[in-house]
Amino acid sequence: MTTMPVGGITPVPDLPDDAAADLVLRNAKIHTGDPARPTASALAVRDGHLVALGDDADTAGLVGPRTRVVDALGRRVVPGLNDSHLHVIRGGRNYVLELRWDGVPSLRQALAMLREQAARTPKGQWIRVVGGWTAEQFAERRMPTPAELTAAAPDTPVFVLHLYQSAILNRAAVRAAGFTRDTPDPRGGQIVRDRAGEPNGVLLAAPSALILYATLAKAPALDPADQAVSTRHFLRELNRFGLTSAVDAAGGFQNFPDDYATVVELARAGQLSLRIAYHLFPQTPGQELADLRRWTDTVRPEDGDAWLRLNGAGENLTWAAADFENFSEPRPELAPYEAEFEKAVRLLMENDWGFRLHATYDETIRRDLAVFEKLAADGLFPAGNRWLFDHAETVSAHSLDRIAALGGSISVQNRMSFQGTAFADRYGAEAAARTPPVTEMLRRGLPVAAGTDATRVSSYNPWVALHWLVTGRTVGGHRLRPPEELVSRETALEMYTRGGARVTGEDEVKGFLKEGCYADFAVLTHDYFTVPAEVIPHIESVFTVVGGRVVHAAAEYEGLDEAVPPVSPAWSPVAHFGGYQATPAPLPRAGGGVRQADAITEAVAASEEHHRWRSARGLAPQNPPEFHDPCWGP
């Protein structure tokens, strides 16, 4: 047998290879997600599917000479996680180019990473910090300034995206992006200028984030070979957190088929380590119907396989129908869009295509539902096609009833854990307490899936999203949701496993553990069901399996996973810093004194950094008064 020696397990003599399991996991606390058999301690895998689930007695007869037997050492095992709204295709193509501030606890550390990366970034390349962080997570509770970015990287362009709200550029990036005093503000965006009229390095979404994305698009791209390597490392990074599936929500600047070529080629080579279902998003305003008609005439959703499959259209069908989710700005008033939108929806429904719709505000959702109800008179709703609203932060109870009547579902993301403070500042704490109204969705029996909307706002770490679902707290610790608006850990996990599988129509084979289902599961560092809530964001997987393949292995299992090529290019931030910047999980409550000392240490460092920042701007006394204390003197 391969892997670590496991006491009491011996191969069955003369067991044919085709009758033996490829992998047996034992000594585990397995949460199956199957109400008929919620727990188990062992499972067996053959040909990518579960063939046995129970205890040692149920799996011992499947152990042959070539079976890999793995001892979970009493750890918690859960079905593989499934992010129902992740920009995985776009994120993979750019991953190795990005300096990730996800999880970084202080601005001081973030700027130090930036300074170090500037020393190795070659001329002509940019440093990009693209989502996954918020000023709330920093001890200093503030964003960096353009001057600080310039001080850290005087000659290398630096682009730092902050949520859907703004971007901060150093002086070199302003030049590289071609911004001058004569550059006009684009529609829906603002180039902030100093008193002399020169761009000062701040771009604002007012309210559209297109100015932010269009600026980022000016940075150099990877060649196709490096995009493939980048995508493989991004998928491995997702596997690190127990993700085994994702539903790609497409997005702006993601053209089909060009920008999908990387995942298609990886799927063709059998090198995907994450199951991907993707959507198609018409990119050219005014051409949406022509694009949708061409796609519906060419291909049908679900004609793919278990690893790569088309799932439908969206998250935009027509550009005019999309609202904006910049909570630092007022809700946008959309011009009439219903006529073209109705044509797009009719085309999809008549061709048995599912779709998903980006809709942040109830005002948008009500207008969309009115179109669906008009089409329902022609028998197009409900018609068995899978369709859903994404985000739905301010959806009303009445709109939820209408969604249920039309056979829809909802995919929610933890954008409020990054943007919740801005939302509460604009709309009030009472509104933030039910944004989005997850418990109301579930009470109505609506199918609800969970995700992150990573990578440009929320982090791709699913445990940050699960922590938000069960605690209602932002990444800065601000509690937005009262206890009655929270969901249980079991429900949150179901939304992140079988809920995601419902979005793609795979909930009979994926999202739970049962004989015949896909062998997709994760062995966790901490027991999600019993650890204190503040530990949940620190959970990772030590052993992730997708279709029976070991795609991530750490701790005692290090080296058992499939190899991936080295990060390329060699100067990549990921090659030196990795991705998500994990910090130690909080100590048990008995260690409160140590936690307190650690917090004071971080606060002192932040205070010193703040004093230097104030001094450099003439805001702090240059000659502090002298004083004498006899307790300190000789």
Side-chain angles (χ1 to χ4, degrees):
M1 291 187 295
T2 58
T3 320
M4 59 177 60
V6 179
I9 301 294
T10 57
V12 176
D14 303 322
L15 183 68
D17 286 345
D18 60 359
D22 302 316
L23 171 69
V24 166
L25 181 77
R26 65 178 299 273
N27 191 20
K29 292 187 291 187
I30 302 173
H31 172 81
T32 67
D34 179 8
R37 182 169 51 190
T39 63
S41 62
L43 59 79
V45 177
R46 184 170 59 234
D47 296 331
H49 293 74
L50 293 177
V51 293
L53 188 72
D55 55 23
D56 282 350
D58 297 303
T59 59
L62 299 172
V63 177
R66 298 186 181 182
T67 301
R68 170 177 281 178
V69 180
V70 175
D71 192 327
L73 301 175
R75 289 188 173 101
R76 172 64 66 186
V77 176
V78 297
L81 303 185
N82 186 344
D83 191 320
S84 66
H85 188 122
L86 176 66
H87 296 278
V88 61
I89 294 174
R90 181 179 66 201
R93 293 171 62 243
N94 297 286
Y95 174 63
V96 302
L97 290 175
E98 296 172 354
L99 177 66
R100 302 303 306 182
W101 282 356
D102 309 49
V104 174
S106 72
L107 179 58
R108 180 170 58 95
Q109 179 181 332
L111 290 172
M113 294 168 68
L114 185 62
R115 190 176 300 111
E116 183 181 339
Q117 182 58 36
R120 67 170 64 94
T121 301
K123 185 176 178 60
Q125 284 289 344
W126 293 27
I127 300 175
R128 306 152 227 225
V129 180
V130 187
W133 69 281
T134 173
E136 282 192 56
Q137 78 193 45
F138 293 151
E140 299 89 341
R141 301 284 175 160
R142 69 174 181 85
M143 294 163 55
T145 66
E148 287 174 316
L149 302 187
T150 297
D155 303 313
T156 304
V158 176
F159 176 97
V160 176
L161 180 69
H162 186 243
L163 308 177
Y164 290 124
Q165 299 173 6
S166 60
I168 313 131
L169 284 66
N170 71 346
R171 198 168 294 135
V174 171
R175 291 194 300 268
F179 294 132
T180 69
R181 64 183 301 133
D182 299 320
T183 305
D185 287 344
R187 183 179 179 182
Q190 181 184 355
I191 303 169
V192 181
R193 304 167 197 273
D194 62 23
R195 63 174 61 92
E198 298 290 344
N200 75 351
V202 175
L203 306 178
L204 297 179
S208 169
L210 287 178
I211 183 177
L212 313 180
Y213 301 154
T215 303
L216 179 60
K218 296 178 181 180
L222 291 170
D223 63 37
D226 281 342
Q227 287 180 8
V229 173
S230 177
T231 298
R232 292 189 67 182
H233 278 274
F234 185 50
L235 300 186
R236 176 62 60 92
E237 173 77 350
L238 299 176
N239 299 149
R240 164 189 169 190
F241 295 102
L243 278 162
T244 60
S245 293
V247 189
D248 186 87
F253 300 93
Q254 184 166 310
N255 290 288
F256 184 86
D258 296 349
D259 294 332
Y260 293 71
T262 298
V263 294
V264 171
E265 290 305 313
L266 290 177
R268 185 173 286 119
Q271 293 176 340
L272 291 179
S273 63
L274 188 86
R275 304 184 193 274
I276 299 174
Y278 61 90
H279 287 77
L280 300 184
F281 182 134
Q283 294 295 308
T284 307
Q287 189 181 302
E288 298 98 330
L289 281 173
D291 286 342
L292 291 171
R293 189 170 291 110
R294 187 179 308 110
W295 294 335
T296 56
D297 288 344
T298 304
V299 67
R300 293 179 60 83
E302 304 174 15
D303 281 350
D305 57 30
W307 288 94
L308 185 67
R309 57 198 287 137
L310 171 65
N311 196 54
E315 59 183 296
N316 276 5
L317 303 185
T318 60
W319 278 91
D323 57 21
F324 303 109
E325 57 279 42
N326 179 3
F327 298 134
S328 65
E329 293 281 335
R331 178 183 61 82
E333 295 291 339
L334 301 182
Y337 62 80
E338 282 80 357
E340 287 299 298
F341 181 72
E342 179 183 336
K343 293 176 185 177
V345 176
R346 178 182 292 277
L347 173 66
L348 294 169
M349 296 299 285
E350 288 178 345
N351 285 275
D352 297 323
W353 269 55
F355 61 89
R356 65 192 311 160
L357 286 171
H358 169 109
T360 302
Y361 301 100
D362 189 55
E363 288 80 357
T364 309
I365 292 171
R366 291 200 306 265
R367 290 174 66 173
D368 292 350
L369 288 171
V371 171
F372 301 163
E373 287 164 345
K374 180 179 179 182
L375 295 174
D378 296 337
L380 295 179
F381 285 87
N385 293 16
R386 288 187 306 277
W387 69 272
L388 65 140
F389 281 114
D390 280 306
H391 316 312
E393 271 88 358
T394 70
V395 64
S396 65
H398 180 55
S399 292
L400 291 176
D401 291 335
R402 295 167 71 190
I403 294 169
L406 292 166
S409 57
I410 298 178
S411 173
V412 297
Q413 297 77 43
N414 64 312
R415 303 193 307 184
M416 288 291 285
S417 64
F418 288 81
Q419 298 177 280
T421 300
F423 184 95
D425 289 345
R426 177 165 295 280
Y427 298 107
E430 184 176 349
R434 63 175 300 279
T435 301
V438 177
T439 55
E440 291 184 39
M441 299 173 187
L442 294 171
R443 278 196 294 268
R444 285 166 170 77
L446 277 165
V448 183
T452 59
D453 199 12
T455 61
R456 291 186 173 173
V457 174
S458 303
S459 172
Y460 50 75
N461 183 344
W463 301 102
V464 174
L466 284 159
H467 175 260
W468 168 74
L469 283 168
V470 303
T471 68
R473 293 187 183 274
T474 69
V475 294
H478 181 198
R479 183 163 187 168
L480 298 174
R481 302 165 70 86
E484 61 269 20
E485 295 295 336
L486 305 179
V487 300
S488 70
R489 298 191 191 196
E490 291 81 1
T491 299
L493 185 64
E494 200 272 349
M495 292 166 61
Y496 231 106
T497 50
R498 208 163 185 179
R502 291 190 188 99
V503 170
T504 57
E506 299 173 281
D507 52 313
E508 293 302 314
V509 291
K510 187 164 72 173
F512 67 116
L513 300 177
K514 181 180 180 180
E515 288 91 343
C517 289
Y518 295 154
D520 299 354
F521 58 86
V523 182
L524 306 181
T525 54
H526 301 78
D527 190 338
Y528 163 71
F529 294 106
T530 62
V531 294
E534 61 266 25
V535 175
I536 293 175
H538 300 269
I539 294 175
E540 296 187 18
S541 173
V542 293
F543 194 76
T544 306
V545 174
V546 187
R549 294 164 45 198
V550 181
V551 297
H552 169 73
E556 295 86 354
Y557 314 104
E558 186 172 353
L560 299 182
D561 48 2
E562 301 172 350
V564 292
V567 173
S568 178
W571 55 265
S572 160
V574 171
H576 298 271
F577 297 111
Y580 190 92
Q581 300 295 299
T583 55
L587 294 171
R589 299 196 185 279
V594 176
R595 290 202 317 277
Q596 183 185 56
D598 288 343
I600 293 170
T601 300
E602 191 64 62
V604 168
S607 178
E608 293 172 350
E609 184 73 21
H610 184 62
H611 177 73
R612 287 194 294 271
W613 185 84
R614 286 173 54 82
S615 297
R617 289 154 180 77
L619 301 175
Q622 299 300 311
N623 298 301
E626 296 183 1
F627 63 90
H628 175 71
D629 188 322
C631 293
W632 292 357

